[in-house]
Amino acid sequence: YNSFFFKFSEWSYEKEWRIAIPEAMFDNGEFYFNGLEGIKGIYFGYSSVPEYSKEIAEIINWAKDKGIRVYIMLLSERDYTMFPLRLV
């Protein structure tokens, strides 16, 4: 199964929406999406940055232009919990 579309019950307290973006929504490097009014923030997972750095930079620039906050999840070295670091 694809873990992107399923959530473990341990994380059920999080109020999140996951959006899968098909490649067809990109045109010459531009991202097109109609539904901005509901987006309050974009959170990138802890391990997503190194693998997708170019794509993430594009999304960060897009979000900045739209006034949408962007966060990266980091791992605390003290207790191994995750916390968001605001980028934009």
Side-chain angles (χ1 to χ4, degrees):
Y1 78 81
N2 186 332
S3 61
F4 179 82
F5 297 105
F6 296 94
K7 187 176 200 174
F8 287 105
S9 59
E10 291 85 358
W11 299 97
S12 63
Y13 64 90
E14 290 186 348
K15 306 295 185 219
E16 72 174 351
W17 288 79
R18 297 179 183 187
I19 300 173
I21 303 170
E23 198 170 326
M25 291 182 78
F26 287 87
D27 182 29
N28 296 326
E30 285 291 317
F31 171 65
Y32 295 95
F33 179 72
N34 297 323
L36 299 177
E37 65 277 350
I39 298 177
K40 305 287 187 229
I42 298 172
Y43 293 78
F44 291 104
Y46 175 70
S47 61
S48 63
V49 173
E51 188 174 350
Y52 300 105
S53 59
K54 180 181 178 228
E55 293 86 350
I56 287 174
E58 292 173 3
I59 293 171
I60 288 171
N61 288 331
W62 173 83
K64 186 176 182 180
D65 289 344
K66 306 293 183 203
I68 298 171
R69 294 179 179 179
V70 179
Y71 303 86
I72 181 78
M73 297 304 294
L74 298 178
L75 183 62
S76 169
E77 294 180 7
R78 281 185 293 149
D79 56 10
Y80 298 103
T81 57
M82 302 293 285
F83 64 95
L85 173 66
R86 186 171 172 185
L87 301 175
V88 174

